[in-house]
Amino acid sequence: MSSQTATANPTALSFRRYKDGDHKPGPWQEEIFQASWSHKCPTYVHRTAPCQASCPSGHDIRGWLAIARGQDKPAAGVAWQEHAFRRMTAANPFPSVMGRVCPAPCEDGCNRNEVEDRVGINAVEHFVGDWALANNLAFDAPATESGRKVAVIGGGPGGLSAAYHLRRRGHAVTVFEDKPELGGMMRYGIPGYRTPRTVLDGEIGRILAMGVEVRANTRVGRDVTIAELESGYDAVFWAIGTHSGRPLPVPGSDAPNCITGVDFLRAFNEGRLKGVTGKVIVVGGGDTSIDVASVARRIGHITHAHPKDRPENIIFGQTAHDVADSATREGAHVTLTSLFPVEKMTAAEQEVNDARREGVDIRGGIMPLEVVKGEDGRAVALKMCKCEMDGAVPRPVAGTEFEIACDLIVSAIGQKGDMTGLEALDNGRGFINADKLLRVPGHKKHFVGGDIVRPHLLTTAIGHGRIAAESIDRFFAGVEEDRRPRVDVVHFDLIDRMKERNVAPEPFVSGGEGHRGTAAARFAVHNYEDRGPHEVVTHEDLFLGHFPYTARNVRRHVEIGPDDVLGNFDERLVALTEQEVMAEGKRCMSCGMCFECDNCVIYCPQTAVSRTPQKERATGRYVQTDYSKCVGCHVCKDVCPTGYIQMGLGE
Ligand SMILES: Cc1cc2nc3c(=O)[nH]c(=O)nc-3n(C[C@H](O)[C@H](O)[C@H](O)COP(=O)(O)OP(=O)(O)OC[C@H]3O[C@@H](n4cnc5c(N)ncnc54)[C@H](O)[C@@H]3O)c2cc1C
Ligand code: SF4
Ligand code: SF4
């Protein structure tokens, strides 16, 4: 419309569905077949699925579930599991570890919760990750080297994820790791019955085989200085985690047998600590406290142990228990206390239930007041009282004090970074500050991620590794842009999917076919809009009526009773079978992306919608609309279960 016309008649409507006085609907049959006419026609709009938006590592979950159900097919000669593994590892190179110990925030976000139950995303990841290990799948080394060198400090999930994503981009990577082995808290925190070491070694080995240099037993800040890193490398990524446990903030916590959870687990995971004393109190409520309590129940109480074998002497000395095989071993009495009521503890519910079943006495809503010491200065009891939480602050309830006798107190109330030698980067609270691009403010060419920014989950540290690798890449390219997408994940890319099927658009040649009237042009993807980077599709955008009740395939969990836990280090989680995994793939509702159900083709009253010819198809390009037939009735949009169709064209 020209501005002249607009001024002449500024209130004229360009479209009216009903005439004045037209109050009664016509015959319903007419309504159904014509629905209503509008100037809008369907267009295909991709939005991010909420499962993916809830996964901190940014997994293309919907994409690999489509592979698991057989919709997105692999190239000839490739197993579907490998196809799924490649899609998974575009974001996260640890599917087998994640499939076991990630608390799966993706499943909380899953729209299928609105139908009957979430999709078992984590279980599919577990199965595919294990299949990839069993079949020795490897990552390709980069085809070309960029000539840039990056120092990664810390070989935990954050550092290894960054190393992987940097190598994919052709940058040389050296990982500096304080400990003899890589893995960070996956190895020195989480016990092996949750992350089996064969799985861990397999997933780490695959990353190293891309050509990552490792300098183990090398502590930056002691063996290497920041200045040396700055002169030797083009960028530095800090992923040093939080390895300083916080002692209990009560009088008497300096007793020698008051230790921290990270020290306890490190000594256990290094194979030095093989038993505890009879009565153990663990103070916490999060993942670390559950692991300490569960390990204590497994290693048990070594009776008649020499004082040199007391847990604190093992944990702080560099000696190891050698009495384990000869001494009599009994179950230890383990009490876990939490400020919050048990149902509000931050540890994963399954872990809490397991610990309880295995005989850990879990008591919520109580706070420590004082460590009671014996004549020799060692703790003999923990004085506690009931408390009420005022936000995160416990308020003691007067007159409720009591004591729990103990031989060992383990504080698992939080950690911070060990910044010795790294004071220049310390934000004063034992952490390193980061901006949105994970750059360290005020420190050019320094980037940071994982727990040392904010303690959270493995998947979060892995996501940080990916984002930091991208930021480092941009830094090398001299790109100044400092925004991240609102939905910060590894996005579905229609062109990639079209390339996989050899149906990608032709290259655009400037001045060629002309820039107008592109409906038939082969260089454009028509009537497709990608809102993935800024929109998440909600259950209200879906047609949920399409999905009948289908029970979730639940992994079997080996339940260990209090009498069987001593000396039991077997894995508790049993992977689903291939059939069960494929069935979970079918339960996925493919939120925000066409899953080829044919509803729009079947229900369009005008037969305007048809399947894209087989030779032009790719995921996301399964149906097409003949706009000369479309009357804008929006039936296709209404029956689309996935929310992929929007009535937008013509607006
Ligand atoms: C006991 C426990 C149980 C947990 N359970 C779960 C769980 O079930 N699921 C889950 O998702 N998350 C869990 N977490 C959280 C998860 O382990 C962390 O969020 C994650 O490991 C953080 O990764 P990161 O790479 O930042 O640090 P880390 O894993 O801590 O790795 C940091 C690495 O840096 C090294 N390092 C430190 N300082 C230096 C230095 N100066 N020079 C060289 N190297 C250095 C360390 O040795 C370490 O290897 C748990 C944490 C703990 C402690
Ligand atoms: S890493 Fe965790 S949050 Fe992400 S898909 Fe796997 S289970 Fe879900
Ligand atoms: S139904 Fe599928 S795509 Fe939708 S949120 Fe759940 S797992 Fe993701």
Side-chain angles (χ1 to χ4, degrees):
M1 183 187 291
S2 73
S3 57
Q4 210 179 354
T5 322
T7 316
N9 188 6
T11 54
L13 295 173
S14 62
F15 166 75
R16 294 190 68 188
R17 183 171 292 166
Y18 301 105
K19 293 194 177 76
D20 287 345
D22 189 6
H23 301 305
K24 287 192 183 155
W28 285 116
Q29 188 172 342
E30 178 86 347
E31 283 295 303
I32 290 162
F33 285 101
Q34 298 285 350
S36 60
W37 295 66
S38 83
H39 65 293
K40 296 183 189 179
C41 287
T43 184
Y44 301 99
V45 177
H46 165 244
R47 286 176 287 175
T48 301
C51 52
Q52 186 179 13
S54 315
C55 168
S57 71
H59 258 298
D60 179 6
I61 298 165
R62 183 188 58 207
W64 40 262
L65 289 174
I67 296 172
R69 71 173 161 268
Q71 177 206 319
D72 183 338
K73 295 196 171 42
V78 176
W80 76 261
Q81 293 92 332
E82 174 165 0
H83 191 34
F85 171 77
R86 302 285 171 211
R87 191 68 59 79
M88 283 181 180
T89 52
N92 185 328
F94 289 102
S96 216
V97 171
M98 293 295 113
R100 288 173 163 80
V101 296
C102 183
C106 54
E107 295 185 4
D108 296 337
C110 172
N111 277 334
R112 185 100 205 185
N113 284 307
E114 299 296 323
V115 177
E116 75 299 76
D117 194 4
R118 62 195 190 262
V119 175
I121 299 168
N122 194 236
V124 176
E125 204 177 3
H126 183 174
F127 172 86
V128 172
D130 282 7
W131 191 94
L133 285 172
N135 288 275
N136 298 317
L137 295 192
F139 296 134
D140 290 336
T144 51
E145 299 289 337
S146 70
R148 303 285 194 159
K149 293 198 300 182
V150 184
V152 170
I153 320 305
L160 289 168
S161 163
Y164 164 73
H165 286 286
L166 286 163
R167 282 304 288 147
R168 278 164 66 103
R169 291 175 154 81
H171 306 309
V173 178
T174 305
V175 176
F176 293 82
E177 170 54 54
D178 181 25
K179 304 234 162 43
E181 290 187 81
L182 299 177
M185 285 301 185
M186 296 190 287
R187 188 184 299 278
Y188 292 98
I190 303 173
Y193 54 86
R194 293 213 291 125
T195 50
R197 298 320 186 219
T198 45
V199 165
L200 195 54
D201 292 343
E203 294 204 321
I204 293 175
R206 203 157 48 198
I207 297 174
L208 301 187
M210 295 170 84
V212 175
E213 188 194 345
V214 179
R215 286 182 57 185
N217 294 309
T218 307
R219 185 177 183 79
V220 176
R222 182 192 61 203
D223 307 318
V224 179
T225 64
I226 297 179
E228 282 166 335
L229 293 178
E230 284 178 345
S231 61
Y233 295 87
D234 300 303
V236 184
F237 177 61
W238 295 91
I240 57 176
T242 50
H243 289 250
S244 286
R246 292 186 194 276
L248 290 184
V250 297
S253 64
D254 57 348
N257 53 340
C258 278
I259 57 166
T260 67
V262 277
D263 289 336
F264 178 100
L265 288 169
R266 185 182 309 137
F268 165 72
N269 284 313
E270 285 174 351
R272 293 185 288 116
L273 180 72
K274 293 180 177 153
V276 291
T277 40
K279 293 190 275 302
V280 181
I281 302 176
V282 189
V283 181
D287 284 326
T288 307
S289 66
I290 293 280
D291 279 342
V292 171
S294 304
V295 164
R297 287 289 296 154
R298 281 172 170 68
I299 58 181
H301 167 208
I302 301 175
T303 51
H304 316 305
H306 190 274
K308 80 172 173 49
D309 289 324
R310 284 176 177 156
E312 67 268 24
N313 295 332
I314 298 295
I315 288 166
F316 295 121
Q318 286 307 310
T319 54
H321 271 142
D322 54 9
V323 291
D325 295 332
S326 53
T328 321
R329 193 185 281 269
E330 293 171 2
H333 188 274
V334 182
T335 308
L336 191 157
T337 75
S338 155
L339 299 177
F340 288 98
V342 176
E343 60 284 2
K344 291 202 174 146
M345 281 169 41
T346 54
E349 194 184 341
Q350 180 72 56
E351 296 296 328
V352 177
N353 293 341
D354 281 344
R356 265 216 164 123
R357 191 182 315 104
E358 292 167 7
V360 177
D361 177 13
I362 304 184
R363 302 196 205 170
I366 55 177
M367 66 185 283
L369 295 172
E370 183 186 346
V371 173
V372 182
K373 294 182 183 172
E375 281 177 5
D376 58 358
R378 301 180 80 244
V380 292
L382 183 61
K383 188 172 173 189
M384 307 197 72
C385 73
K386 287 190 182 165
C387 66
E388 280 162 5
M389 294 306 286
D390 181 2
V393 181
R395 306 273 179 224
V397 178
T400 61
E401 294 80 6
F402 62 96
E403 285 182 11
I404 307 178
C406 63
D407 305 297
L408 182 70
I409 298 177
V410 185
S411 166
I413 58 169
Q415 292 118 243
K416 60 182 177 140
D418 179 353
M419 302 301 291
T420 317
L422 309 173
E423 290 77 7
L425 296 165
D426 192 345
N427 67 4
R429 297 186 303 279
F431 294 96
I432 302 178
N433 286 339
D435 68 10
K436 263 188 272 171
L437 271 75
L438 299 180
R439 298 172 297 200
V440 183
H443 294 266
K444 197 168 163 38
K445 82 179 189 180
H446 288 265
F447 300 78
V448 61
D451 278 10
I452 192 63
V453 174
R454 182 175 72 94
H456 198 224
L457 299 173
L458 298 168
T459 176
T460 313
I462 290 165
H464 281 182
R466 170 179 58 81
I467 292 169
E470 251 175 60
S471 295
I472 291 170
D473 202 46
R474 286 196 211 173
F475 167 67
F476 289 159
V479 177
E480 292 292 326
E481 218 223 307
D482 65 353
R483 275 187 309 178
R484 296 286 314 171
R486 200 169 82 76
V487 185
D488 202 350
V489 299
V490 174
H491 286 284
F492 168 83
D493 186 327
L494 182 62
I495 301 293
D496 278 354
R497 299 289 83 79
M498 294 175 85
K499 280 184 189 157
E500 271 176 10
R501 300 277 166 262
N502 296 321
V503 294
E506 291 163 4
F508 172 72
V509 183
S510 178
E513 285 277 307
H515 301 183
R516 300 174 68 83
T518 57
R522 310 284 306 174
F523 59 75
V525 177
H526 301 285
N527 312 330
Y528 170 74
E529 190 185 342
D530 189 0
R531 295 190 202 156
H534 35 267
E535 272 187 36
V536 175
V537 64
T538 72
H539 66 91
E540 283 163 355
D541 301 317
L542 309 185
F543 169 40
L544 292 181
H546 178 84
F547 302 99
Y549 178 97
T550 315
R552 178 163 60 95
N553 292 274
V554 182
R555 271 175 292 186
R556 196 164 69 79
H557 204 86
V558 181
E559 298 188 345
I560 302 167
D563 300 331
D564 306 321
V565 71
L566 193 62
N568 187 327
F569 296 97
D570 296 341
E571 222 190 327
R572 295 172 300 195
L573 204 53
V574 182
L576 294 183
T577 62
E578 181 176 351
Q579 286 67 32
E580 288 168 328
V581 163
M582 293 171 91
E584 276 310 284
K586 288 192 180 121
R587 287 185 67 244
C588 169
M589 306 187 294
S590 188
C591 310
M593 170 51 57
C594 170
F595 68 164
E596 307 179 6
C597 70
D598 283 334
N599 274 7
C600 53
V601 178
I602 293 165
Y603 288 103
C604 171
Q606 306 295 333
T607 62
V609 184
S610 60
R611 289 184 186 164
T612 308
Q614 186 78 41
K615 60 180 186 331
E616 292 171 27
R617 267 184 219 165
T619 304
R621 294 268 92 184
Y622 176 74
V623 283
Q624 59 188 13
T625 309
D626 180 344
Y627 291 104
S628 66
K629 286 185 174 178
C630 173
V631 296
C633 71
H634 63 70
V635 166
C636 57
K637 175 191 184 297
D638 290 350
V639 297
C640 173
T642 69
Y644 189 54
I645 300 177
Q646 298 292 304
M647 300 305 288
L649 204 72
E651 293 218 301

